[in-house]
Amino acid sequence: MEECIFCKIVNKEIKANVVYEDEKVMAFYDINPQAPFHVLLIPKKHISTLLDIEEDKILISEMMVKIKDIVEKIGISKSGFRTVINCGKDAGMDIFHLHIHILGGRRLSWPPG
Ligand code: AMP
Ligand code: ZN
């Protein structure tokens, strides 16, 4: 995906503050953080949205398991955190490369806005 910002981060064409990386996934700090800790976890493979994961069940489950390593590494596993996956216009999705927001470091209100 030539014009995808997150593919460019995966390909190191755009710099990111990377927290975790392996052959399948990458996690980096959000450029516009909504909490003291705000990390985005993405698959390296371009998958557009949560509506397009059918062929990647194993990859998606591996991403879920990786969240534990990431929150432990950035130090919010004990205090708590929230994961968010926006999907489509009404959710305010801006970048159509699947990503899991991981937010923590402050009390997060509920319901979300
Ligand atoms: P969403 O609204 O769910 O599509 O979230 C996209 C997120 O990507 C937003 O929180 C942005 O702040 C973040 N973002 C956009 N460009 C970059 C970038 N170059 N590096 C890190 N985060 C980014
Ligand atoms: Zn992409």
Side-chain angles (χ1 to χ4, degrees):
M1 286 286 156
E2 280 168 25
E3 295 308 317
C4 172
I5 290 174
F6 289 174
C7 282
K8 287 184 177 175
I9 288 176
V10 169
N11 295 327
K12 317 277 188 208
E13 291 165 44
I14 295 177
K15 278 197 176 173
N17 187 357
V18 176
V19 176
Y20 177 85
E21 182 174 7
D22 63 26
E23 69 282 1
K24 291 182 187 165
V25 305
M26 200 167 177
F28 49 88
Y29 283 99
D30 196 294
I31 206 168
N32 183 24
Q34 301 302 312
F37 295 91
H38 186 173
V39 166
L40 302 174
L41 172 60
I42 68 167
K44 286 191 168 178
K45 174 182 176 180
H46 183 92
I47 298 171
S48 295
T49 79
L50 207 47
L51 302 178
D52 306 294
I53 61 173
E54 193 70 28
E55 290 169 13
D56 296 290
K57 293 186 180 77
I58 294 171
L59 173 59
I60 299 301
S61 66
E62 285 173 353
M63 284 176 69
M64 291 296 165
V65 174
K66 287 279 176 229
I67 291 169
K68 183 181 180 200
D69 292 343
I70 293 162
V71 294
E72 283 178 354
K73 187 165 182 186
I74 65 178
I76 57 171
S77 62
K78 289 193 170 65
S79 51
F81 60 92
R82 180 172 295 162
T83 55
V84 173
I85 303 176
N86 291 321
C87 189
K89 186 164 59 76
D90 276 358
M93 189 180 196
D94 281 329
I95 298 184
F96 284 73
H97 179 131
L98 184 69
H99 49 282
I100 303 174
H101 294 261
I102 303 171
L103 300 135
R106 68 169 169 83
R107 187 81 187 188
L108 298 160
S109 59
W110 190 265

